[in-house]
Amino acid sequence: MRTRITLLLLAALLGAAASARAQSASQPETRPRSNGLALTPPMGWSSWNQFGDDINEAIVTGTIDAMVANGMRDVGYVFVNLDDGWQRYKGSRKAHPLEYDPVKFPRGIAYLAEYAHARGMKLGIYSGPGETTCAGYTGSIGNEVRDAAMFASWGIDHLKYDSCCSHKNAPPPVVQKIFRDMSNALLAQKRGVVLHACHCGWANIWEWAPALGVNHWRIGQDISDDFNYPGNREGYYFDVLDMLDRGVGLEKYSAPGHWNDYDMLIVGLNGKSGELVGTGASNIEYRTHFSLWAMVDSPLLVGADVRHLDAYSLETLTNKEIIALNQDKAGSIARRAVDNGELQIFVKELADGAVAVLLLNRGAATANMSFSPRRDFAMPIDRYSVRDLWAHRDLGVHDGVFTAEVQSHEARVFLIRR
Ligand code: GAL
């Protein structure tokens, strides 16, 4: 009798385990998978926005040297990421191996990784889950394990893995597989490699990318060098405000280790990019763009030629007080607390209890903008100190409502403390 009961119990337990397995096979894993990296949004430089695929060893070493000399490295920009165009061959992976271009990179990629590491920086590289990449170079499809091992052996620290807007209408498991295959291959390496899944903001990638171990994912198509271009340039590009609006509702998917990516920065391009479309933005607009990307916890990947940055752009990109908002360890993305169309207020709560407040004027005329933490942010704060993070000035202690003048397309950023 006792044996029968034991057997029945065992059968019941086995049945429960089998059904749990069946369930987990049919329901995709949703818990974030951590590689322990990108606990704050990655900061660095990427070659694409300025150079397109016209890159080479001298540009990369010159960029690293410039970032050391101009202070960018020391405020946190440590990644130097090669985008598309480092590869030797154009055409299908079936027809060509994946190798670096020996004319553009005579000493190879491992040399550049060593060059970066010796200066306290990191090197990133680019590939994609297709036969070819977006610019037509050989991709990684079917060779994920081999390529991940090659990248790791070179000393790579970051991979941008770009579907090039392919698989737009593929069923979710198919899209997920192309990124999972590379994520698994990287995780099997001894080297920690930050993974960026670039999928044009399609297939609700933010819902499943964290579970695949992706560290950041683009929320939209490419940015153009514009603050507010009417419509989408060429029906494809997003300007700064388009990209900002694209992120509304996606705030909850961003968290330490897994970030919404609003695309690379256009600060300093000044309408002179060799690659990106767009006519450029004003100094104030670029500063606004930078403040917004910081507040929404986007990776801060500079796209301009940092070897020749103008003084205003460098000052914008190296504002430590703004960078601190982006790198705050709480990783709580700014929410749009007030939205009057042209006048919007963003609020970001920081780990130490301070609150960052960004006043954005999207309109054409200067405006006075006001906030009260209690009325507008539902925060029990009546008396608070205010610091202006662009003027680097304390503005004293205030009760209730605080008012500031905000120019057209300007963002003023304040830190308030109880
Ligand atoms: C696009 C991507 C760009 C750049 C380019 C390279 O798909 O959005 O950021 O990486 O490919 O060909």
Side-chain angles (χ1 to χ4, degrees):
M1 182 65 167
R2 183 179 284 173
T3 322
R4 244 187 85 202
I5 291 172
T6 314
L7 280 175
L8 281 173
L9 252 172
L10 197 65
L13 282 172
L14 285 174
S19 92
R21 269 200 309 277
Q23 195 180 18
S24 72
S26 63
Q27 287 174 0
E29 178 60 81
T30 51
R31 272 173 311 167
R33 185 179 185 195
S34 174
N35 55 8
L37 303 171
L39 298 180
T40 59
M43 289 176 65
W45 172 87
S46 163
S47 55
W48 188 256
N49 282 1
Q50 177 65 46
F51 298 101
D53 66 351
D54 197 8
I55 46 176
N56 59 47
E57 183 180 292
I59 290 176
V60 178
T61 53
T63 294
I64 293 171
D65 293 346
M67 291 169 81
V68 172
N70 70 13
M72 288 180 69
R73 177 198 62 184
D74 293 343
V75 296
Y77 295 97
V78 293
F79 286 97
V80 172
N81 293 346
L82 297 172
D83 207 285
D84 213 354
W86 61 271
Q87 312 90 324
R88 180 172 193 167
Y89 301 107
K90 279 203 165 180
S92 146
R93 183 65 186 263
K94 288 202 181 82
H96 304 284
L98 182 61
E99 291 172 9
Y100 62 82
D101 182 328
V103 176
K104 290 175 173 175
F105 299 100
R107 282 178 276 198
I109 305 296
Y111 167 79
L112 290 179
E114 262 173 46
Y115 195 93
H117 296 157
R119 288 156 183 81
M121 299 182 76
K122 295 170 185 288
L123 195 78
I125 207 159
Y126 171 98
S127 194
E131 284 294 328
T132 57
T133 64
C134 231
Y137 294 88
T138 46
S140 285
I141 190 84
N143 293 271
E144 294 82 1
V145 171
R146 180 198 311 242
D147 292 356
M150 180 171 78
F151 297 150
S153 76
W154 286 345
I156 289 296
D157 306 291
H158 181 284
L159 174 67
K160 174 172 175 180
Y161 204 54
D162 182 5
S163 72
C164 191
C165 308
S166 65
H167 297 77
K168 186 173 182 186
N169 300 313
V174 174
V175 187
Q176 288 157 11
K177 180 179 182 329
I178 62 173
F179 291 108
R180 185 187 293 112
D181 286 350
M182 183 49 90
S183 179
N184 285 345
L186 289 177
L187 285 166
Q189 302 302 315
K190 291 213 175 66
R191 194 172 182 80
V193 181
V194 173
L195 177 59
H196 168 194
C198 187
H199 190 49
C200 297
W202 289 347
N204 288 349
I205 184 168
W206 37 83
E207 287 177 358
W208 44 266
L212 300 188
V214 173
N215 297 109
H216 54 117
W217 52 85
R218 281 261 295 276
I219 62 164
Q221 293 146 207
D222 296 25
I223 197 166
S224 65
D225 187 12
D226 298 295
F227 183 75
N228 191 16
Y229 181 83
N232 296 106
R233 271 194 195 270
E234 300 173 19
Y236 176 79
Y237 294 93
F238 285 18
D239 59 38
V240 166
L241 293 182
D242 291 338
M243 201 67 88
L244 178 72
D245 293 342
R246 173 79 174 155
V248 174
L250 304 185
E251 296 85 353
K252 64 174 186 255
Y253 299 105
S254 228
H258 312 280
W259 308 100
N260 289 322
D261 183 333
Y262 288 61
D263 205 357
M264 297 164 290
L265 293 161
I266 55 169
V267 177
L269 290 178
N270 297 324
K272 295 194 202 105
S273 159
E275 176 59 36
L276 279 198
V277 299
T279 44
S282 69
N283 279 339
I284 282 189
E285 290 169 339
Y286 280 136
R287 205 161 258 197
T288 297
H289 157 50
F290 186 67
S291 304
L292 288 164
W293 265 226
M295 288 283 283
V296 297
D297 290 346
S298 177
L300 298 178
L301 295 168
V302 177
D305 183 351
V306 297
R307 300 169 306 171
H308 307 292
L309 271 183
D310 60 282
Y312 192 96
S313 300
L314 183 61
E315 190 193 315
T316 298
L317 293 169
T318 53
N319 181 334
K320 286 193 206 165
E321 297 193 85
I322 298 292
I323 291 172
L325 308 180
N326 179 264
Q327 296 294 301
D328 185 71
K329 59 179 187 303
S332 97
I333 185 169
R335 65 187 163 90
R336 199 175 284 200
V338 175
D339 188 353
N340 295 331
E342 290 190 341
L343 304 179
Q344 299 177 336
I345 304 184
F346 294 77
V347 182
K348 177 173 168 61
E349 292 169 55
L350 304 179
D352 69 355
V355 179
V357 181
L358 181 149
L359 308 182
L360 172 64
N361 180 358
R362 300 167 69 132
T366 298
N368 278 327
M369 295 182 67
S370 301
F371 66 83
S372 141
R374 186 176 283 280
R375 180 191 69 198
D376 300 314
F377 316 148
M379 288 176 180
I381 305 177
D382 294 311
R383 200 171 157 72
Y384 50 93
S385 67
V386 178
R387 182 168 170 78
D388 182 329
L389 300 190
W390 280 110
H392 305 294
R393 272 199 308 129
D394 289 326
L395 304 182
V397 175
H398 294 260
D399 286 304
V401 175
F402 178 81
T403 302
E405 188 182 276
V406 190
Q407 293 176 55
S408 166
H409 294 183
E410 186 183 22
R412 295 200 59 189
V413 190
F414 302 99
L415 194 68
I416 67 170
R417 280 183 197 281
R418 250 174 276 239

